[in-house]
Amino acid sequence: MATASDGDMGAAAPPPLESFLAIGLDQRTAENALANRKVTANLTAVIAEAGVTGCDKSVGNLLYTVATKYPANALVHRPNLIKYILSEKIKNSAQLDAALSFLSTLGPDSLDLVKFEEACGVGVVVSFEEIQSAVSDVLNENMEAIVEQRYRINVGSLCGQVRKRHPWGDAKLVKEEIEKRLVEILGPKTEADNAKPMKKKKEKPTKVEEEKTVAAPPSEEELNPYSIFPQPEENFKVHTEIFFSDGNIWRAHNTKSILEKHLKVTGGKVMTRFPPEPNGYLHIGHAKAMFIDFGLAKERNGHCYLRFDDTNPEAEKKEYIDHIQEIVTWMGWEPYKVTYTSDYFQNLYELAICLIQKGLAYVDHQTPEEIKECREKKMNSPWRDRPIEESLRLFEDMRRGLIAEGKATLRMKQDMQNDNKNMADLIAYRIKFTPHPHAGDKWFIYPSYDYAHCLVDSLENITHSLCTLEFDIRRPSYYWLLVALGQYQPHVWEYSRLNISNNVMSKRKLNRLVTDKWVDGWDDPRLLTLAGLRRRGVSSTAINSFIRGMGITRSDNSLIRIERLEYHIREELNKVAPRALVVLHPLKVVITNLDHGTIINLDAKMWPNASDDDASAHYKVPFSRTVYIEQSDFRLKDSKDFYGLAPGKSVMLRHAFPIKCTEVIYGDNPDSIVEIRAEYDPSKATKLKGVLHWVAEPSPGVEPLKVEVRLFEKLFLSENPAELEDWLGDLNPQSKEVIKGAYAVPSLANAMLGDKFQFERLGYFAVDSDSTPERMVFNRTVTLKDSYGKAGPK
């Protein structure tokens, strides 16, 4: 076995493929290892820890197993295991499997070598005679099956039975001995032994009169989406490995003492946080974050903070803070505490001084452009290695406001040569002479998100730090800072971002739509802001149902069709929205065989399955000589697929009577129809397919209740407008239609803000905040059918 001598330590490391082949791996295995970035990094680290430049194939295969199967929670003990392999105290796969199992259970706790060696069979020698004796016993116990099955006997099963007797015996010798003894018992293979076994034909199941499909039981994750998260007391495993360009590796995990201190403070409870930045209104993507953050805490009987990530004083407004607190409550969540990152500015400042004192932060004077160039070229800042005392003095000057904005930053001394740009000496503090909305004018320096986020998570003893997948590449820098300062480390987990078709979810784009007045404010019903969805008539329960249906996945950031959200909205509204009659584009119909002044008050059902005897489930609809139907429900020429009214044709008026068109009254030209004359059938004897919604004059000569109705379509024409360079050019010019002259039944005059209805044959509608006692305004929440033509419940 070749090892690296002291004189070789400064030499350049061989290329990965060459070093993999040097430890005895075959070409294919070595190339497959290179194809996997994680395996490459782990195997390179294992070879470096072993300090070998070449070894026997048997040892190399064991080292490869260590690289691919070693438990992440016990990485502190990996060098010890490698020593056992190199010294051949652990020399076969059975011993190594036992070692890995032992260390996985142990985790980062101190290693008892006596128990470890006992568990792995170190020093146990199984003689060839012992193997022969065990093989004889196993073959004798299975002799009846051997004689019957001959060479088709399962040799692997026989080997396993021997291994139970001698777990540390040489597996290769065991297999060879069993195969040799089988030949002695059975003799040479016959033609029948060599023939391929006949495949048995599958018997067709007996047909039954009625086949019932039994649905597979739901998975644990479907029943409880939070089951994937570990318990707080399990937070001792390695969170991530931080790879440095010089080959060094930091393995982030909580020590036993740090975890015990954390659990004592929290009482072992789950602690999460929902940390929005107060620089805009929340959208449906934040609803997913709330569902995960607040939902996990609620499911585990823990607590969830509402923490305002207010590190940028220029972008934050009290309007946004008030909105966020109100909308969190509306979504059904109750924060444990409301906190601000600015509450911890003093703590963060003191930790920054500690970081400088450790030689892990420095004051830099590069401009943003110079920083960008150095990151691209992987070059250090010229101020990176300035004396610690100098950085401490300059940082104090920054804090006191003695250095101008843009003339200095505090940067973390991470790894400028790292392939991960989020390890390239991120900025921890910058100078801003801007008063803070929450902290006042005390500070002239403000921490960055990358510096503050992980530290406040730690200071608040957060157990699960949950965020979207785009933060995955920031995980090394998150843990770098906590490890560097010896702080408690939360369990970080990323989930897929919620992207919904025909809309934008970026706060920057949403802000552009609002400030440039492309939409009517943050609560425009066409937006997927939570305020916009609420104004449109969508409930928090429908949103949460939609989120739960998506699942808490890490799969990808695939686009979810908006129809999927609409399905959950319809499902709820069908159960809770009472029915009502509204005509959007009225066409006058005069019932000629109904006397002038006659008003028939009819009972209309609020719900399709309402009992005829339940008065509370009905509302009164006046039927008079003048009624109004939709203009689109009348044609001069009838057809088989048209169920509306036509000359000489009869239709049923919903909740009322059949009517038959007897005359058409035209306006100034033949294309202008101003009135229909019709006769009604008070006996209701006629059975008709066509059923129309309608509204009548409540009393002779009195116009029906006039309401404003707003119809909304998709805001953007393309499914994914965010990908377009000219995304504003993709706005749908027909995304909003305002109908000011719609007619409604009298009962809708009493509708209140928050009330929702199904306007029969038209869709689901909600009272808008623009409504006044003199003018009711209704927003269409969703149609009765999706865009594919599937009908929702009627």
Side-chain angles (χ1 to χ4, degrees), residues 22 70 97 189 240 289 321 367 413 458-459 466 541-542 564 600 654 721 746 762:
Y70 195 88
D97 288 344
K189 286 186 177 182
T240 192
I321 291 172
T367 64
K413 193 182 287 187
S458 182
L459 291 168
L466 311 170
T541 52
R564 196 162 175 181
I600 304 173
R654 182 77 165 147
L762 297 177

Side-chain angles (χ1 to χ4, degrees), residues 709-779:
V709 176
R710 297 171 182 174
L711 307 180
F712 300 106
E713 298 293 342
K714 294 169 181 174
L715 183 58
F716 289 89
L717 298 171
S718 301
E719 282 199 345
N720 197 356
E723 288 186 342
L724 303 176
E725 186 175 345
D726 182 19
W727 60 278
L728 287 172
D730 190 57
L731 281 164
N732 179 8
Q734 277 80 47
S735 62
K736 178 180 178 180
E737 180 186 357
V738 178
I739 302 169
K740 293 184 177 292
Y743 284 158
V745 289
S747 59
L748 287 180
N750 301 316
M752 305 290 289
L753 184 63
D755 288 349
K756 300 165 188 178
F757 302 90
Q758 184 196 102
F759 293 172
E760 298 201 49
R761 298 181 67 225
L762 297 177
Y764 294 98
F765 291 78
V767 178
D768 185 73
S769 54
D770 285 343
S771 293
T772 65
E774 295 76 29
R775 183 183 65 116
M776 295 298 301
V777 180
F778 294 90
N779 294 325

Side-chain angles (χ1 to χ4, degrees), residues 516-634:
D516 290 356
K517 302 190 182 304
W518 293 102
V519 294
D520 304 323
W522 285 99
D523 64 346
D524 189 301
R526 293 168 290 179
L527 295 177
L528 290 183
T529 58
L530 295 177
L533 287 166
R534 175 171 61 180
R535 185 172 180 183
R536 186 163 177 154
V538 180
S539 72
S540 60
T541 52
I543 295 171
N544 283 326
S545 173
F546 164 70
I547 299 294
R548 189 183 186 94
M550 295 295 98
I552 306 174
T553 65
R554 282 178 55 87
S555 55
D556 55 25
N557 292 326
S558 59
L559 197 66
I560 305 299
R561 294 187 65 89
I562 196 166
E563 287 80 9
R564 196 162 175 181
L565 170 62
E566 291 174 347
Y567 165 80
H568 288 273
I569 297 170
R570 282 191 195 91
E571 282 288 290
E572 181 182 76
L573 289 176
N574 180 55
K575 300 171 186 173
V576 303
R579 277 52 173 171
L581 296 174
V582 172
V583 174
L584 300 182
H585 302 286
L587 175 61
K588 185 177 181 180
V589 179
V590 175
I591 310 298
T592 57
N593 61 334
L594 187 65
D595 292 339
H596 288 280
T598 300
I599 303 294
I600 304 173
N601 286 309
L602 303 170
D603 285 326
K605 289 184 177 182
M606 293 183 182
W607 319 97
N609 55 355
S611 168
D612 292 336
D613 300 327
D614 185 0
S616 65
H618 293 75
Y619 66 98
K620 292 295 182 181
V621 179
F623 180 76
S624 63
R625 181 178 172 86
T626 301
V627 302
Y628 295 88
I629 64 172
E630 292 286 354
Q631 293 176 13
S632 59
D633 279 336
F634 178 79

Side-chain angles (χ1 to χ4, degrees), residues 219-230:
S219 65
E220 183 182 2
E221 188 175 336
E222 288 174 323
L223 292 171
N224 178 10
Y226 308 106
S227 62
I228 59 177
F229 297 113

